[in-house]
Amino acid sequence: MTDRRRINGPPSGTRPAVFASLLKSASGAPTERPQRQRQSNELRKIFLKTGLIPTASGSSYVEFEPSASLAAARSSPKSLVPPSSALKLACTVHGPKPLPRSATFSPNLVLTTHVKYAPFAARKRKGHIRDASERDLGVHLETALRGVIIAERWPKSGLDITITILEAEDDRWCGDAPDSHDASWGMMNVLAGCITAASAAISDARIDCLDLVAGGVAALVSDDSSEDDTSKPKLMIDTDPAEHRSIVSACVVAYMPSRDEITELWLKGDSSKASPGADDKRTGHEALIDGAVDAARGAHSVLAEAVRESAERFISQAVSGVSTQ
């Protein structure tokens, strides 16, 4: 009689699976850390498309182009594990819609943000229930968008913004020790992508805003393998944590270029070792924030082009509907 209260193993013996080394190539040589091929002030190429989910009021998809070293590794793989990850996420906007009758009266639009990693988005598999990092991303995203949306135009209404992260940035290179990067640097790139994607989806939903808001990231990195304290970190924008040996400090901003305003600022790390230049009177924090703003300006150009295409598509559909009638 079969015992239904437990899971029985296979009737015959099995052997443990044998996996190839993750950090060795086919020739046996260790896999090298991916190197940054871009200039310090150069952004990665961004793919942004709106209106991909017809059931939502507005939607967008954002994908960052992988670095040249990562693209070469994928075209001719030498290891089972890619050296780095790219950023891919999808955003949907539902609303504005009436609040439930049980909800309290609100003279402004009630904004709700929900950020969730797909289970396969990161190297460490995510659960189905949101963890603390995902809730923190949702709070940062809500703060960034509250200063953009004209909330008083939709009283007693709600707006739900949901972002699904299909592939997230790594916090460190897969060959580094687990405790080499003690901070979640990849989350800052994810937040910048979420801000840009949410702004595109809100515009696709035809919701009035003060301006288009874009996210940008800048970081102070140290690629020197020696433990010499005299070496100054370098300021780079749109950094990939897997490409650098150590990240000293990083900053992400939500920036509105037309109004020259910052709606969200997240600064992490120690920027006191920054050296902007001999003739530069800025402090480390100021240089880091200015670098993040420059990255946001670059992302805003892609965002503005995607919104323009969305508006042209909406106008063409309206004209075709009038002509058929």
Side-chain angles (χ1 to χ4, degrees):
M1 183 176 178
T2 305
D3 189 357
R4 299 181 179 179
R5 293 176 295 179
R6 67 186 67 186
I7 300 175
N8 297 321
S12 58
T14 58
R15 293 183 178 181
V18 178
F19 298 95
S21 177
L22 301 179
L23 300 178
K24 290 185 178 180
S25 60
S27 60
T31 304
E32 297 181 356
R33 180 191 303 273
Q35 300 295 328
R36 182 184 175 108
Q37 305 295 331
R38 300 170 285 119
Q39 299 295 329
S40 59
N41 58 348
E42 184 180 355
L43 298 175
R44 290 174 289 182
K45 293 183 179 180
I46 304 175
F47 175 80
L48 178 57
K49 186 71 174 179
T50 59
L52 299 180
I53 303 176
T55 57
S57 303
S59 61
S60 64
Y61 173 79
V62 175
E63 180 177 345
F64 283 75
E65 184 187 43
S67 59
S69 58
L70 176 56
R74 287 181 174 177
S75 60
S76 58
K78 297 181 180 180
S79 175
L80 298 177
V81 177
S84 178
S85 297
L87 180 62
K88 302 175 184 178
L89 53 90
C91 177
T92 58
V93 173
H94 297 275
K97 55 186 179 181
L99 292 175
R101 293 186 177 181
S102 58
T104 58
F105 174 78
S106 175
N108 299 324
L109 180 70
V110 178
L111 178 64
T112 304
T113 57
H114 187 97
V115 180
K116 184 70 181 72
Y117 284 84
F120 50 83
R123 297 186 187 274
K124 184 178 180 180
R125 190 172 180 86
K126 293 286 186 176
H128 295 282
I129 301 176
R130 289 199 306 167
D131 55 9
S133 63
E134 294 167 336
R135 290 191 293 269
D136 290 343
L137 288 175
V139 172
H140 283 291
L141 179 61
E142 181 179 353
T143 305
L145 298 178
R146 281 190 181 278
V148 180
I149 300 175
I150 306 177
E152 59 269 15
R153 294 190 179 180
W154 289 277
K156 300 183 294 183
S157 301
L159 183 67
D160 297 335
I161 300 177
T162 303
I163 292 183
T164 303
I165 303 171
L166 304 176
E167 186 173 357
E169 292 275 4
D170 293 328
D171 296 332
R172 57 182 177 82
W173 182 48
C174 58
D176 290 334
D179 56 349
S180 59
H181 288 193
D182 56 352
S184 301
W185 303 113
M187 283 180 56
M188 310 191 82
N189 291 340
V190 171
L191 177 59
C194 290
I195 294 172
T196 306
S199 180
I202 290 173
S203 300
D204 187 55
R206 309 294 179 262
I207 298 175
D208 295 341
C209 298
L210 297 175
D211 191 11
L212 295 176
V213 59
V217 178
L220 294 173
V221 301
S222 176
D223 294 332
D224 191 4
S225 58
S226 62
E227 297 181 357
D228 187 9
D229 295 338
T230 60
S231 60
K232 295 294 184 180
K234 299 179 181 179
L235 177 63
M236 295 186 179
I237 66 175
D238 192 18
T239 55
D240 185 358
E243 295 178 345
H244 305 288
R245 196 174 296 273
S246 175
I247 297 180
V248 180
S249 179
C251 175
V252 56
V253 299
Y255 181 68
M256 295 189 295
S258 300
R259 300 174 62 91
D260 194 19
E261 293 181 6
I262 294 177
T263 60
E264 172 64 6
L265 174 64
W266 183 14
L267 186 64
K268 179 187 292 186
D270 182 15
S271 59
S272 60
K273 298 181 180 179
S275 178
D279 300 333
D280 198 343
K281 301 302 181 181
R282 298 178 301 175
T283 62
H285 293 288
E286 294 175 350
L288 199 59
I289 294 174
D290 291 343
V293 169
D294 292 339
R297 285 196 181 101
H300 180 268
S301 61
V302 181
L303 175 61
E305 183 66 21
V307 171
R308 185 184 64 82
E309 294 178 357
S310 175
E312 292 177 352
R313 183 173 61 252
F314 176 78
I315 294 173
S316 62
Q317 292 176 357
V319 170
S320 62
V322 172
S323 60
T324 54
Q325 292 177 359

